[in-house]
Amino acid sequence: MQVSEQALADVAREVLETMAFAFVMPETIDVGDSLDHVVRASVRFRGPFAGIVHLTVPAAIVPNLVANMLGECDGGDFNEEQQHDALGELANVMCGNLVQQVAGPEPVFELDAPTIEAGSAAAPLAPLEDVHAARLPLDEGWAELAVKIDG
Amino acid sequence: MALNVLIVDDSATMRAMVIKTLQMSGAPLGKVLQASDGQAGLDVLASEPVDVVLVDINMPVMNGMEMIERMRATPALAALPVIVVSTESSQTRIDQVQSKGVAFIHKPFTPERVWQVIQEVTGVGAHASQ
């Protein structure tokens, strides 16, 4: 099962722009030292095929993503639970949209609740051989959407 | 007419997003109530007057489909307008939802889409937009 980088990028862009007003920029990504400070939300799915979708972003941009999702124009002081809930919801919506785009309109998938990892355990997955991924430069920071199909 | 709305979703972020979207949509809002799963949603419906329910499908304790089935089996709630707001994209599953007389909004959503569906299921504001 192949998942194109374009499909991943299209789903990530639509969800980030619609839900979090985070816009994809046409420039090259400089991940810099942000790789040491990242957060990853993962959603496992089962259906005609199974696997897991990962959304990874620098920890520094999560509060702004939450503020944008909640319409808090002045930013906000969001605790870790709120930040993880928001990132998990983004990953959940991306997963639901991605698997349907890959499988077509009819098949039914079951999605698990999102799980969160932070710090070095959440390093981006793009170099891994069995992972399909797209990393997008945002107006602030970057986001990586990756999928690993079981089997 | 101000609409009393019940939002049922296990994500506090998503509930807040739906409320924000409702406020942005121009919908005439009365009381906005929240619940984090289907059972909690039924508990709210037992004690509060509600005009429309927006409910997620995948939730712990009691999912959205079971909540809808219990509402349909309860005479006082059977005709209450319900909108499923879900990341679900399978047409098979959407057809199942709509066969229960329930409207569907796909995540991610826009304020315009939310308002359009609320008008369709409640009739509120429909004449103003024509």
Side-chain angles (χ1 to χ4, degrees):
Chain A
M1 176 67 64
Q2 292 292 313
V3 182
S4 73
E5 184 176 339
Q6 189 62 51
L8 287 155
D10 288 347
V11 167
R13 177 185 295 108
E14 185 194 3
V15 175
L16 286 166
E17 292 185 353
T18 307
M19 289 179 66
F21 303 102
F23 293 94
V24 176
M25 307 302 284
E27 56 221 31
T28 311
I29 305 168
D30 178 12
V31 295
D33 59 4
S34 63
L35 290 178
D36 293 333
H37 306 282
V38 295
V39 186
R40 179 161 67 219
S42 303
V43 178
R44 181 159 281 286
F45 61 89
R46 288 174 301 281
F49 54 91
I52 187 164
V53 165
H54 304 284
L55 171 64
T56 307
V57 300
I61 75 168
V62 178
N64 279 347
L65 291 177
V66 184
N68 289 347
M69 290 171 76
L70 300 182
E72 303 281 349
C73 300
D74 299 329
D77 185 17
F78 303 107
N79 62 34
E80 187 176 84
E81 183 182 356
Q82 290 171 306
Q83 294 186 38
H84 289 179
D85 184 55
L87 196 65
E89 196 58 31
L90 288 172
N92 180 262
V93 176
M94 288 181 189
C95 181
N97 282 270
L98 180 69
V99 294
Q100 220 67 55
Q101 188 173 118
V102 173
E106 297 298 336
V108 174
F109 288 87
E110 303 295 337
L111 274 57
D112 287 350
T115 59
I116 304 290
E117 292 176 289
S120 57
L125 301 165
L128 297 181
E129 212 170 78
D130 55 350
V131 170
H132 308 280
R135 194 179 296 169
L136 306 176
L138 304 177
D139 43 2
E140 182 190 18
W142 51 269
E144 180 191 79
L145 183 62
V147 59
K148 183 177 186 300
I149 308 294
D150 292 347
Chain B
M1 173 190 172
L3 291 171
N4 293 331
V5 179
L6 171 61
I7 300 162
V8 187
D9 196 306
D10 58 326
S11 165
T13 303
M14 186 51 69
R15 294 198 302 271
M17 283 189 69
V18 172
I19 292 170
K20 190 72 185 175
T21 302
L22 288 170
Q23 292 167 340
M24 291 170 64
S25 74
L29 292 178
K31 192 181 286 189
V32 178
L33 304 156
Q34 301 184 48
S36 60
D37 63 71
Q39 182 57 59
L42 292 173
D43 293 344
V44 172
L45 290 172
S47 60
E48 297 276 355
V50 170
D51 298 304
V52 60
V53 178
L54 290 89
V55 59
D56 189 17
I57 293 180
N58 292 315
M59 294 181 290
V61 184
M62 181 189 290
N63 67 37
M65 295 306 292
E66 186 175 349
M67 178 186 171
I68 292 166
E69 285 168 7
R70 293 201 184 193
M71 288 175 63
R72 294 301 185 237
T74 305
L77 302 175
L80 188 61
V82 178
I83 303 169
V84 164
V85 183
S86 173
T87 188
E88 183 63 62
S89 302
S90 162
Q91 193 56 50
T92 305
R93 185 64 67 71
I94 293 170
D95 289 345
Q96 289 172 354
V97 167
Q98 292 178 328
S99 72
K100 298 181 186 302
V102 171
F104 184 84
I105 294 175
H106 183 254
K107 296 176 185 174
F109 48 75
T110 62
E112 292 79 11
R113 173 66 180 153
V114 172
W115 181 216
Q116 175 197 353
V117 175
I118 285 179
Q119 287 179 328
E120 288 171 2
V121 301
T122 66
V124 170
H127 298 296
S129 64
Q130 288 176 354

